[in-house]
Amino acid sequence: MKRTKIKEILTNPIINEEYLVKGWIRTHRNVKQIHFIALNDGSTVKNLQIVIDEKDFDSKFLKRLTTGASIGVRGTLVESLGKEQSVELKAINVELYGECDAETYPLQKKGHSLEFLRTIAHLRPRTNTFGCIFRIRHAAAFAIHYYFNQRGFIYLHTPIITGSDCEGAGKMFKVTTLDLYNLPYTPDGKIDFSQDFFGRETNLTVSGQLEGELGALALGEIYTFGPTFRAENSNTPRHLAEFWMIEPEMAFYDINDNMDLAEDFIKYIIKYVLDNCPDDLQFLNDRYDNELIDRLHWVLKEKFARITYTDAIEVLLKSNENFEFPVYWGADLQAEHERYLVEKYYKKPIIITDYPKEIKAFYMKLNDDGKTVRAMDVLFPKIGEIIGGSQREDDYDKLLKRVKELNIPEKDVWWYLETRKFGTAPHSGFGLGFERLMLFLTGMSNIRDVIPFPRTPKNAEF
RNA sequence: UCCUCAGUAGCUCAAUUGGUUAGAGCAUCUGACUGUUAAUCAGAGGGUUCCAGGUUCAAGUCCUGGCUGGGGAGCCA
């Protein structure tokens, strides 16, 4: 007999139909002769209630059906006598695939703290909370591919291992096959990377953007969606050493086209999750963040405010707020400043553009004023910067000048510079931190809870 | 990396000014209960008080160092 997923049964129940379901026991309770099992198979946050009449089964066997055990149940779907569910499966036959020792199984029926669940990341997907989160994560990832595919973007696979360390986005993890206990050295005492696997120093990527631009300047519109790595010693609820980033890059887009895309894109993902994960969102809304669903709807209908950095500084200076960090033109915006702008002043997502060139990356297009660059940061309530992007510098001479000013070795970026030499074109792009988006979509407050296996300083278990 | 708070049973927490044999709820186990809903009721078992030193007649409690975790900040996405 073919197995049916619980989600399908609950979506389209056929009374008196015989079904085979397979999953894990969430709870098992009995009143005298009748046993009730809440079965979950991961297809939905909802459980299917299995009803077992003890007289049809061996009572010793039923004792082995403990919380966490994996079973298959063949039975008849009937209307439930209980109030909490409309249908239930009356068991005809139960197969026990994997027992679960109740004495040592760390998950109990009652709730656990998120901190504790992080220490058992191998088991936490079995909880309602993490089931919801990872289903939403999947839906969001699927929506991202769907969105770009519909619009003719090419999914470009940029390298994980990179020879360039000039992206300037953070400290990098080294990749090597050299024997660390017996390193080869050059005559002048440096490590001899010519003997390494790639014959040069290599690292894990901190961004696929530079390679993404190469794709955009050939294929038109591309996006990347893959893991990125930052070896920063960041210990916050918003940072990971390994995280997933989405980086679209578009030829012939200026900064305004870029902003339009960013806003449309992020709203699409939110809408997709609202439409496709109502049960999961409702669970998280009830359990963790009562304003989650309202907030998602609210962002959908708000037009993001678009302001320049210079305007933002003026707003902050006029604010009469007592900021810890001083506000002046040229200063980078601190978390407290961003929070004031988003949550108190504009009260909606904002896009800040045209930052001073000194506080932004070398590849951003210089404005005519010679002082600011066509950068754009999208700031969200609760989570801060969710997107960073810019129109890219497409003028060879200006880009080369910036490279030299910042002492970036030309030998490392020659290939990047060449795109501006051979048929350069205006183009733009941005990067979206997938887990930051997940924080917003799920209402979770710690980024370690929206990725299955978080990598953070001093933590690479599992 | 900086600031700050914390670490006691499987989990969540309590333990007076440093003072007897470190407690409770949940979980687990045993039993009861003829339809339960994180069932309920009764009983039982369960502790290297994060680690290493130190002060003291006496340390879960005070001191020093370390480790781990939470919150805030920086770096950023």
Side-chain angles (χ1 to χ4, degrees):
Chain A
M1 189 176 180
K2 198 173 164 238
R3 173 208 181 188
T4 308
K5 293 283 192 83
I6 289 172
K7 184 180 183 180
E8 193 190 320
I9 293 176
L10 296 180
T11 307
N12 183 26
I14 304 170
I15 298 299
N16 293 326
E17 181 85 355
E18 202 170 300
Y19 288 100
L20 173 63
V21 294
K22 301 182 178 186
W24 292 266
I25 295 173
R26 282 294 167 77
T27 65
H28 175 184
R29 46 184 179 264
N30 71 293
V31 180
K32 200 78 172 170
Q33 297 288 318
I34 303 182
H35 291 244
F36 301 95
I37 286 174
L39 193 71
N40 188 282
D41 68 359
S43 62
T44 165
V45 68
K46 293 177 176 164
N47 301 322
L48 179 64
Q49 174 154 284
I50 311 293
V51 181
I52 298 174
D53 194 329
E54 195 168 307
K55 67 176 190 289
D56 301 335
F57 291 85
D58 174 27
S59 64
K60 273 189 188 158
F61 173 73
L62 293 181
K63 274 215 181 335
R64 292 159 65 201
L65 304 182
T66 55
T67 298
S70 161
I71 59 171
V73 182
R74 187 166 59 83
T76 310
L77 196 72
V78 296
E79 285 181 32
S80 179
L81 298 173
K83 296 180 198 119
E84 307 286 315
Q85 61 280 316
S86 58
V87 295
E88 61 195 18
L89 197 70
K90 194 164 181 339
I92 297 166
N93 183 56
V94 179
E95 192 175 354
L96 177 58
Y97 300 119
E99 293 190 49
C100 186
D101 178 22
E103 297 263 17
T104 51
Y105 187 53
L107 292 173
Q108 55 190 40
K109 299 177 199 173
K110 295 271 176 177
H112 291 289
S113 68
L114 295 169
E115 290 83 1
F116 170 68
L117 291 172
R118 271 171 226 150
T119 68
I120 51 166
H122 59 309
L123 295 173
R124 68 177 183 170
R126 298 187 186 193
T127 63
N128 285 331
T129 298
F130 285 93
C132 290
I133 290 167
F134 297 145
R135 277 186 297 271
I136 291 170
R137 187 178 167 105
H138 161 76
F142 180 81
I144 286 161
H145 286 299
Y146 193 80
Y147 177 88
F148 286 126
N149 182 59
Q150 267 187 324
R151 283 156 184 77
F153 283 58
I154 304 296
Y155 180 25
L156 188 75
H157 295 103
T158 51
I160 304 294
I161 299 172
T162 170
S164 75
D165 60 354
C166 59
E167 285 131 340
K171 288 201 185 94
M172 303 181 90
F173 288 103
K174 292 207 183 314
V175 175
T176 182
T177 55
L178 292 176
D179 179 359
L180 297 181
Y181 298 99
N182 186 22
L183 290 168
Y185 290 94
T186 58
D188 54 344
K190 290 179 178 159
I191 295 167
D192 184 6
F193 285 102
S194 72
Q195 294 186 42
D196 204 346
F197 186 90
F198 294 106
R200 59 178 297 165
E201 212 172 335
T202 49
N203 299 292
L204 293 179
T205 185
V206 294
S207 163
Q209 182 201 313
L210 300 191
E211 291 91 347
E213 286 186 49
L214 313 185
L217 292 171
L219 299 161
E221 289 137 326
I222 66 96
Y223 70 104
T224 73
F225 186 3
T228 46
F229 308 87
R230 309 250 169 117
E232 300 288 347
N233 190 14
S234 297
N235 294 288
T236 86
R238 297 177 307 284
H239 290 86
L240 291 164
E242 176 181 305
F243 64 100
W244 287 63
M245 197 150 58
I246 300 105
E247 295 180 291
E249 198 67 40
M250 300 74 64
F252 313 114
Y253 274 48
D254 67 14
I255 183 83
N256 293 309
D257 301 325
N258 203 20
M259 284 191 277
D260 290 344
L261 180 75
E263 183 168 345
D264 186 61
F265 166 68
I266 206 160
K267 285 179 170 172
Y268 179 88
I269 307 306
I270 292 168
K271 182 157 192 330
Y272 186 91
V273 169
L274 277 168
D275 290 346
N276 287 275
C277 307
D279 296 340
D280 296 322
L281 288 173
Q282 192 62 52
F283 180 88
L284 296 173
N285 192 87
D286 294 344
R287 190 69 167 260
Y288 294 97
D289 180 352
N290 295 326
E291 294 167 351
L292 171 62
I293 292 175
D294 286 346
R295 190 162 55 242
L296 294 177
H297 282 294
W298 165 73
V299 164
L300 279 189
K301 68 175 203 292
E302 289 289 340
K303 176 110 182 80
F304 296 3
R306 298 185 183 185
I307 56 167
T308 65
Y309 168 89
T310 305
D311 292 342
I313 291 293
E314 253 176 62
V315 168
L316 291 169
L317 285 173
K318 282 191 214 149
S319 73
N320 292 325
E321 288 279 314
N322 217 347
F323 293 120
E324 185 189 343
F325 293 89
V327 177
Y328 57 92
W329 200 97
D332 210 349
L333 296 179
Q334 302 294 318
E336 57 176 347
H337 306 141
E338 297 181 349
R339 217 173 297 126
Y340 172 80
L341 292 168
V342 174
E343 287 162 19
K344 285 191 178 168
Y345 191 83
Y346 289 98
K347 294 184 174 149
K348 55 169 143 176
I350 61 175
I351 310 180
I352 303 181
T353 59
D354 302 291
Y355 284 79
K357 66 176 179 184
E358 287 77 15
I359 58 174
K360 287 292 177 185
F362 76 96
Y363 48 71
M364 296 189 179
K365 186 168 180 63
L366 193 64
N367 278 316
D368 293 341
D369 62 13
K371 295 191 297 188
T372 59
V373 290
R374 283 184 203 170
M376 56 163 229
D377 284 0
V378 180
L379 309 182
F380 259 44
K382 285 197 79 164
I383 54 172
E385 186 180 340
I386 192 168
I387 283 178
S390 69
Q391 185 168 341
R392 316 307 188 188
E393 183 56 77
D394 51 278
D395 183 288
Y396 179 82
D397 294 326
K398 286 181 186 165
L399 185 61
L400 184 63
K401 187 167 167 250
R402 279 304 275 161
V403 164
K404 283 180 173 163
E405 278 171 8
L406 295 169
N407 293 316
I408 298 168
E410 274 176 68
K411 66 175 175 52
D412 287 346
V413 288
W414 64 271
W415 46 274
Y416 184 70
L417 290 164
E418 280 205 350
T419 56
R420 274 62 168 175
K421 215 190 275 182
F422 304 129
T424 190
H427 64 288
S428 300
F430 61 83
L432 171 85
F434 188 46
E435 285 77 16
R436 294 262 174 97
L437 176 63
M438 279 296 297
L439 286 176
F440 190 74
L441 291 172
T442 60
M444 290 290 106
S445 49
N446 193 311
I447 203 163
R448 298 166 193 214
D449 296 328
V450 297
I451 186 169
F453 302 100
R455 296 286 174 264
T456 52
K458 303 278 198 298
N459 181 12
E461 186 81 55
F462 308 106

